Amino acid sequence: MARPSTSSTAARVKPAARRNALPGRLSPGMVCDTAFRIIARRHLAAVRAQHDGTCRGDPEALHQIRIALTHLRTAIRFFSPMVDDALRPEVWTELKWLNSQLGMVRDLDVAIERVIAESGGELTVIAELQHWDEKRAESHRQLARALQSARYRHLVAQTSAWIESGPWSTRRSKEAIRLRRCTLAGHATAKLTEWEKTLLKKARKLRKLDVEKRHKLRLLNKRLTYSIESLEDLFADESLTKQQSILKQLRKAQKSLGRLNDDARGQTLAASLNEAVPEAGIRFLNRKREKKLLRTASRAYRKLDKAKPFRSADLAPDAEPED
Protein backbone atom coordinates (compact mmCIF):
# COMPACT_ATOMS: atom_id res chain seq x y z
CA MET A 1 0.00 0.00 0.00
CA ALA A 2 1.36 3.43 -0.95
CA ARG A 3 2.24 5.79 1.84
CA PRO A 4 -0.05 8.81 2.11
CA SER A 5 1.43 11.99 0.70
CA THR A 6 2.44 14.83 2.98
CA SER A 7 -0.38 16.97 1.64
CA SER A 8 -3.08 14.34 2.31
CA THR A 9 -1.79 13.79 5.85
CA ALA A 10 -1.84 17.53 6.50
CA ALA A 11 -5.41 17.72 5.24
CA ARG A 12 -6.51 15.15 7.81
CA VAL A 13 -4.64 16.78 10.70
CA LYS A 14 -5.57 20.39 10.00
CA PRO A 15 -9.13 20.40 11.47
CA ALA A 16 -7.92 18.95 14.80
CA ALA A 17 -5.09 21.46 14.88
CA ARG A 18 -7.59 24.28 14.40
CA ARG A 19 -9.70 23.01 17.28
CA ASN A 20 -6.69 22.85 19.57
CA ALA A 21 -5.34 26.30 18.69
CA LEU A 22 -7.68 28.28 20.92
CA PRO A 23 -7.00 31.89 21.96
CA GLY A 24 -5.14 32.33 25.24
CA ARG A 25 -7.68 34.77 26.68
CA LEU A 26 -11.42 35.27 26.72
CA SER A 27 -12.99 38.27 24.97
CA PRO A 28 -16.54 39.70 25.04
CA GLY A 29 -17.34 38.88 21.40
CA MET A 30 -16.00 35.33 21.62
CA VAL A 31 -18.60 32.65 20.83
CA CYS A 32 -19.69 30.42 23.70
CA ASP A 33 -18.37 27.10 22.41
CA THR A 34 -14.85 28.53 22.19
CA ALA A 35 -15.16 30.19 25.60
CA PHE A 36 -16.35 26.96 27.24
CA ARG A 37 -13.39 25.04 25.86
CA ILE A 38 -10.90 27.65 27.10
CA ILE A 39 -12.39 27.79 30.60
CA ALA A 40 -12.94 24.05 30.98
CA ARG A 41 -9.44 23.26 29.70
CA ARG A 42 -7.91 25.59 32.28
CA HIS A 43 -9.70 23.96 35.17
CA LEU A 44 -9.16 20.37 34.03
CA ALA A 45 -5.45 21.18 33.65
CA ALA A 46 -5.47 22.55 37.22
CA VAL A 47 -7.02 19.29 38.47
CA ARG A 48 -4.29 17.29 36.76
CA ALA A 49 -1.56 19.61 38.07
CA GLN A 50 -2.50 18.83 41.69
CA HIS A 51 -2.84 15.06 41.17
CA ASP A 52 0.63 13.97 42.31
CA GLY A 53 0.70 16.24 45.36
CA THR A 54 -2.71 15.00 46.46
CA CYS A 55 -1.58 11.39 46.07
CA ARG A 56 1.41 12.17 48.32
CA GLY A 57 -0.90 13.50 51.01
CA ASP A 58 -0.19 17.23 50.67
CA PRO A 59 -3.19 19.01 52.28
CA GLU A 60 -2.70 22.15 50.15
CA ALA A 61 -2.66 20.12 46.92
CA LEU A 62 -5.87 18.44 48.07
CA HIS A 63 -7.44 21.84 48.73
CA GLN A 64 -6.39 23.15 45.32
CA ILE A 65 -7.57 20.10 43.39
CA ARG A 66 -11.01 20.46 45.00
CA ILE A 67 -11.13 24.13 44.03
CA ALA A 68 -10.15 23.29 40.44
CA LEU A 69 -12.74 20.52 40.29
CA THR A 70 -15.47 22.85 41.60
CA HIS A 71 -14.43 25.46 39.04
CA LEU A 72 -14.78 22.85 36.29
CA ARG A 73 -18.20 21.69 37.48
CA THR A 74 -19.30 25.33 37.75
CA ALA A 75 -18.20 25.97 34.15
CA ILE A 76 -20.36 23.06 32.99
CA ARG A 77 -23.35 24.54 34.83
CA PHE A 78 -22.55 28.02 33.54
CA PHE A 79 -22.69 26.92 29.90
CA SER A 80 -25.84 24.87 30.30
CA PRO A 81 -27.99 24.24 28.27
CA MET A 82 -25.38 24.49 25.46
CA VAL A 83 -23.43 21.48 26.77
CA ASP A 84 -26.44 19.41 27.86
CA ASP A 85 -25.95 16.41 25.58
CA ALA A 86 -26.26 12.64 26.01
CA LEU A 87 -22.76 12.33 27.53
CA ARG A 88 -23.06 15.15 30.05
CA PRO A 89 -24.80 13.05 32.78
CA GLU A 90 -22.02 10.46 32.63
CA VAL A 91 -19.28 13.10 32.76
CA TRP A 92 -21.09 14.84 35.62
CA THR A 93 -21.51 11.60 37.60
CA GLU A 94 -17.79 10.85 37.36
CA LEU A 95 -16.80 14.38 38.41
CA LYS A 96 -19.19 14.10 41.34
CA TRP A 97 -17.59 10.75 42.28
CA LEU A 98 -14.14 12.36 42.29
CA ASN A 99 -15.40 15.22 44.44
CA SER A 100 -16.80 12.76 47.00
CA GLN A 101 -13.45 10.93 47.13
CA LEU A 102 -11.66 14.20 47.86
CA GLY A 103 -14.29 15.48 50.28
CA MET A 104 -13.82 13.10 53.21
CA VAL A 105 -10.08 13.71 53.50
CA ARG A 106 -10.52 17.47 53.16
CA ASP A 107 -13.25 17.51 55.84
CA LEU A 108 -10.93 15.64 58.19
CA ASP A 109 -8.04 18.02 57.47
CA VAL A 110 -10.21 21.03 58.32
CA ALA A 111 -11.68 19.42 61.45
CA ILE A 112 -8.27 18.33 62.75
CA GLU A 113 -6.88 21.85 62.22
CA ARG A 114 -9.80 23.26 64.20
CA VAL A 115 -9.33 20.83 67.08
CA ILE A 116 -5.57 21.52 67.25
CA ALA A 117 -6.10 25.28 67.16
CA GLU A 118 -8.52 25.16 70.09
CA SER A 119 -6.95 22.34 72.11
CA GLY A 120 -4.42 24.38 74.06
CA GLY A 121 -2.26 21.25 74.30
CA GLU A 122 -4.75 19.28 76.40
CA LEU A 123 -3.63 15.67 76.72
CA THR A 124 -7.17 14.33 76.36
CA VAL A 125 -7.55 16.17 73.07
CA ILE A 126 -4.19 14.90 71.82
CA ALA A 127 -5.25 11.33 72.60
CA GLU A 128 -8.55 11.92 70.82
CA LEU A 129 -6.74 13.26 67.78
CA GLN A 130 -4.82 10.02 67.39
CA HIS A 131 -8.07 8.38 66.35
CA TRP A 132 -8.78 11.23 63.94
CA ASP A 133 -5.29 10.94 62.41
CA GLU A 134 -5.78 7.21 61.91
CA LYS A 135 -9.06 7.86 60.13
CA ARG A 136 -7.40 10.55 58.01
CA ALA A 137 -4.60 8.15 57.01
CA GLU A 138 -7.13 5.47 56.10
CA SER A 139 -9.21 7.93 54.07
CA HIS A 140 -6.13 9.21 52.28
CA ARG A 141 -5.10 5.66 51.31
CA GLN A 142 -8.54 5.19 49.77
CA LEU A 143 -8.24 8.53 47.97
CA ALA A 144 -4.76 7.70 46.62
CA ARG A 145 -6.08 4.39 45.26
CA ALA A 146 -8.96 6.25 43.58
CA LEU A 147 -6.60 8.80 42.01
CA GLN A 148 -4.35 6.03 40.69
CA SER A 149 -7.22 3.93 39.38
CA ALA A 150 -8.33 3.19 35.84
CA ARG A 151 -11.58 4.96 36.68
CA TYR A 152 -9.76 8.24 37.38
CA ARG A 153 -7.68 7.96 34.19
CA HIS A 154 -10.83 7.29 32.20
CA LEU A 155 -12.55 10.25 33.86
CA VAL A 156 -9.78 12.64 32.79
CA ALA A 157 -9.63 11.27 29.23
CA GLN A 158 -13.41 11.20 28.82
CA THR A 159 -13.88 14.70 30.23
CA SER A 160 -11.13 16.11 28.03
CA ALA A 161 -12.58 14.50 24.90
CA TRP A 162 -16.08 15.69 25.81
CA ILE A 163 -14.89 19.27 26.29
CA GLU A 164 -13.19 19.25 22.90
CA SER A 165 -15.68 17.39 20.73
CA GLY A 166 -18.63 16.04 22.71
CA PRO A 167 -22.04 15.66 21.02
CA TRP A 168 -22.93 19.16 22.26
CA SER A 169 -20.39 20.62 19.81
CA THR A 170 -21.86 19.08 16.66
CA ARG A 171 -25.64 19.15 17.12
CA ARG A 172 -27.24 20.76 14.06
CA SER A 173 -30.53 22.05 15.43
CA LYS A 174 -31.10 25.80 15.11
CA GLU A 175 -31.20 26.17 18.89
CA ALA A 176 -27.95 24.24 19.40
CA ILE A 177 -26.19 26.34 16.79
CA ARG A 178 -27.58 29.56 18.31
CA LEU A 179 -26.32 28.61 21.77
CA ARG A 180 -22.83 27.84 20.46
CA ARG A 181 -22.68 31.05 18.42
CA CYS A 182 -23.99 33.34 21.17
CA THR A 183 -21.37 35.83 22.35
CA LEU A 184 -19.73 35.10 25.67
CA ALA A 185 -20.60 38.55 27.03
CA GLY A 186 -24.27 38.12 26.09
CA HIS A 187 -24.51 34.72 27.74
CA ALA A 188 -22.45 35.79 30.77
CA THR A 189 -24.58 38.86 31.45
CA ALA A 190 -27.79 36.81 31.42
CA LYS A 191 -26.38 33.96 33.51
CA LEU A 192 -24.65 36.11 36.12
CA THR A 193 -27.75 38.26 36.52
CA GLU A 194 -29.91 35.16 36.99
CA TRP A 195 -27.55 33.59 39.54
CA GLU A 196 -27.10 36.86 41.42
CA LYS A 197 -30.87 37.32 41.75
CA THR A 198 -31.33 33.77 43.06
CA LEU A 199 -28.47 34.15 45.54
CA LEU A 200 -29.63 37.47 46.97
CA LYS A 201 -33.24 36.31 47.23
CA LYS A 202 -32.23 33.29 49.33
CA ALA A 203 -29.65 35.30 51.30
CA ARG A 204 -32.38 37.59 52.67
CA LYS A 205 -33.61 34.62 54.72
CA LEU A 206 -30.11 33.60 55.86
CA ARG A 207 -30.73 33.77 59.61
CA LYS A 208 -33.79 31.52 59.30
CA LEU A 209 -32.08 28.81 57.24
CA ASP A 210 -31.25 25.41 58.72
CA VAL A 211 -27.84 23.79 58.20
CA GLU A 212 -28.79 22.05 54.95
CA LYS A 213 -30.36 25.13 53.33
CA ARG A 214 -27.46 27.27 54.48
CA HIS A 215 -25.11 24.80 52.79
CA LYS A 216 -27.10 25.16 49.55
CA LEU A 217 -26.81 28.94 49.81
CA ARG A 218 -23.06 28.53 50.20
CA LEU A 219 -22.95 26.46 47.01
CA LEU A 220 -24.86 29.18 45.13
CA ASN A 221 -22.39 31.75 46.47
CA LYS A 222 -19.45 29.62 45.38
CA ARG A 223 -20.97 29.07 41.93
CA LEU A 224 -21.33 32.81 41.34
CA THR A 225 -17.87 33.59 42.75
CA TYR A 226 -16.11 30.98 40.64
CA SER A 227 -17.95 32.05 37.48
CA ILE A 228 -16.84 35.67 37.92
CA GLU A 229 -13.27 34.50 38.56
CA SER A 230 -13.31 32.39 35.39
CA LEU A 231 -14.46 35.44 33.39
CA GLU A 232 -11.71 37.72 34.71
CA ASP A 233 -10.35 38.31 31.18
CA LEU A 234 -13.53 40.21 30.30
CA PHE A 235 -13.18 42.90 32.94
CA ALA A 236 -10.97 45.93 32.44
CA ASP A 237 -10.46 49.41 33.92
CA GLU A 238 -13.58 50.53 35.81
CA SER A 239 -15.30 47.19 35.26
CA LEU A 240 -12.31 45.39 36.83
CA THR A 241 -12.54 47.59 39.95
CA LYS A 242 -16.25 46.86 40.16
CA GLN A 243 -15.67 43.14 39.67
CA GLN A 244 -13.07 43.10 42.46
CA SER A 245 -15.47 44.90 44.78
CA ILE A 246 -18.19 42.34 44.04
CA LEU A 247 -15.79 39.45 44.58
CA LYS A 248 -14.72 40.96 47.90
CA GLN A 249 -18.28 40.75 49.27
CA LEU A 250 -18.90 37.31 47.80
CA ARG A 251 -15.68 35.99 49.34
CA LYS A 252 -16.53 37.47 52.73
CA ALA A 253 -19.89 35.71 52.67
CA GLN A 254 -18.25 32.53 51.33
CA LYS A 255 -15.68 32.51 54.12
CA SER A 256 -18.33 32.87 56.83
CA LEU A 257 -20.66 30.28 55.29
CA GLY A 258 -17.69 27.97 54.76
CA ARG A 259 -16.74 28.15 58.44
CA LEU A 260 -20.34 27.43 59.45
CA ASN A 261 -20.34 24.45 57.11
CA ASP A 262 -16.99 23.25 58.50
CA ASP A 263 -18.46 23.43 62.02
CA ALA A 264 -21.46 21.34 60.99
CA ARG A 265 -19.25 18.78 59.22
CA GLY A 266 -16.84 18.71 62.17
CA GLN A 267 -19.68 18.01 64.57
CA THR A 268 -20.90 15.15 62.40
CA LEU A 269 -17.37 13.71 62.09
CA ALA A 270 -16.80 14.00 65.82
CA ALA A 271 -20.01 12.09 66.49
CA SER A 272 -19.01 9.30 64.11
CA LEU A 273 -15.36 9.06 65.18
CA ASN A 274 -15.77 9.46 68.93
CA GLU A 275 -18.69 7.32 70.02
CA ALA A 276 -17.00 6.80 73.37
CA VAL A 277 -16.54 10.56 73.81
CA PRO A 278 -19.95 12.09 73.02
CA GLU A 279 -18.85 15.55 74.16
CA ALA A 280 -16.25 15.73 71.36
CA GLY A 281 -18.80 17.29 69.02
CA ILE A 282 -19.40 20.15 71.44
CA ARG A 283 -16.11 21.64 70.29
CA PHE A 284 -17.79 22.52 67.00
CA LEU A 285 -20.85 24.10 68.63
CA ASN A 286 -20.41 27.77 69.48
CA ARG A 287 -23.53 29.94 69.32
CA LYS A 288 -21.58 33.16 69.71
CA ARG A 289 -19.31 32.23 66.80
CA GLU A 290 -22.31 31.20 64.71
CA LYS A 291 -24.06 34.55 65.27
CA LYS A 292 -20.91 36.45 64.38
CA LEU A 293 -20.41 34.49 61.14
CA LEU A 294 -24.06 34.94 60.17
CA ARG A 295 -23.79 38.66 60.86
CA THR A 296 -20.70 38.97 58.65
CA ALA A 297 -22.33 37.07 55.79
CA SER A 298 -25.56 39.10 56.03
CA ARG A 299 -23.62 42.36 55.92
CA ALA A 300 -21.72 41.20 52.83
CA TYR A 301 -24.96 40.32 51.04
CA ARG A 302 -26.49 43.71 51.85
CA LYS A 303 -23.48 45.44 50.32
CA LEU A 304 -23.64 43.16 47.30
CA ASP A 305 -27.33 43.94 46.85
CA LYS A 306 -26.62 47.69 46.87
CA ALA A 307 -23.78 47.30 44.36
CA LYS A 308 -26.16 46.21 41.55
CA PRO A 309 -23.18 44.33 40.11
CA PHE A 310 -24.07 42.86 36.75
CA ARG A 311 -25.06 45.25 34.00
CA SER A 312 -24.70 44.81 30.26
CA ALA A 313 -22.16 47.62 29.89
CA ASP A 314 -19.69 45.76 32.15
CA LEU A 315 -19.32 42.87 29.70
CA ALA A 316 -20.18 44.54 26.38
CA PRO A 317 -22.75 41.89 25.38
CA ASP A 318 -23.48 43.57 22.05
CA ALA A 319 -20.02 42.76 20.75
CA GLU A 320 -20.03 40.99 17.39
CA PRO A 321 -19.25 37.25 17.48
CA GLU A 322 -15.57 36.50 16.79
CA ASP A 323 -14.89 33.79 14.24
Side-chain angles (χ1 to χ4, degrees), residues 14-252:
K14 200 170 182 180
R18 278 201 301 267
R19 280 198 302 273
N20 289 331
L22 295 177
R25 289 174 58 84
L26 303 171
S27 60
M30 180 177 284
V31 291
C32 280
D33 58 352
T34 300
F36 171 68
R37 287 191 181 100
I38 291 173
I39 293 171
R41 275 186 183 185
R42 287 176 181 174
H43 299 319
L44 183 59
V47 169
R48 298 175 72 173
Q50 300 298 332
H51 173 271
D52 291 349
T54 305
C55 286
R56 290 194 300 269
D58 180 355
E60 182 58 24
L62 170 60
H63 182 46
Q64 292 303 321
I65 197 174
R66 285 198 79 200
I67 290 175
L69 182 59
T70 304
H71 265 293
L72 176 57
R73 296 173 72 200
T74 298
I76 293 171
R77 286 182 183 274
F78 189 79
F79 285 97
S80 173
M82 182 186 76
V83 297
D84 290 349
D85 61 19
L87 277 181
R88 181 188 180 279
E90 185 178 342
V91 170
W92 189 260
T93 296
E94 291 305 286
L95 293 177
K96 191 174 179 180
W97 165 78
L98 178 57
N99 189 59
S100 68
Q101 298 298 307
L102 298 165
M104 174 56 82
V105 185
R106 178 60 185 167
D107 286 344
L108 282 164
D109 282 343
V110 172
I112 289 170
E113 285 176 10
R114 171 81 181 276
V115 173
I116 291 174
E118 298 184 3
S119 68
E122 296 175 30
L123 293 178
T124 54
V125 175
I126 293 171
E128 177 191 321
L129 275 178
Q130 183 176 353
H131 186 39
W132 287 62
D133 285 336
E134 289 169 358
K135 180 63 178 176
R136 201 270 181 195
E138 177 190 338
S139 296
H140 178 262
R141 284 193 293 271
Q142 293 174 357
L143 172 59
R145 283 196 293 270
L147 290 174
Q148 293 162 352
S149 68
R151 182 174 182 176
Y152 172 80
R153 291 192 296 274
H154 176 71
L155 176 157
V156 171
Q158 180 189 48
T159 303
S160 180
W162 177 75
I163 290 168
E164 301 301 329
S165 55
W168 65 270
S169 66
T170 56
R171 288 183 298 190
R172 303 311 303 168
S173 71
K174 287 183 179 179
E175 178 62 8
I177 293 171
R178 184 190 71 79
L179 290 170
R180 291 198 298 271
R181 297 296 299 170
C182 178
T183 63
L184 173 58
H187 175 73
T189 300
K191 186 67 79 171
L192 292 176
T193 300
E194 174 194 342
W195 284 6
E196 175 207 3
K197 250 186 219 182
T198 302
L199 175 65
L200 291 175
K201 182 180 178 181
K202 293 184 180 298
R204 292 184 190 107
K205 303 175 183 176
L206 175 57
R207 294 176 186 276
K208 298 178 181 178
L209 300 181
D210 59 24
V211 172
E212 185 179 348
K213 289 181 179 177
R214 203 162 60 200
H215 173 60
K216 289 180 180 178
L217 177 67
R218 171 177 161 269
L219 295 180
L220 288 173
N221 193 113
K222 186 180 288 189
R223 193 182 302 170
L224 183 58
T225 303
Y226 284 7
S227 295
I228 298 172
E229 289 175 347
S230 290
L231 297 169
E232 185 177 10
D233 294 348
L234 303 186
F235 298 90
D237 303 327
E238 290 183 11
S239 293
L240 179 60
T241 303
K242 191 174 184 180
Q243 175 234 21
Q244 290 171 339
S245 175
I246 292 162
L247 282 174
K248 181 180 178 181
Q249 301 309 324
L250 284 169
R251 286 168 180 160
K252 277 186 180 179

Side-chain angles (χ1 to χ4, degrees), residues 268-281:
T268 301
L269 283 168
S272 65
L273 294 176
N274 297 283
E275 294 179 0
V277 192
E279 64 273 14

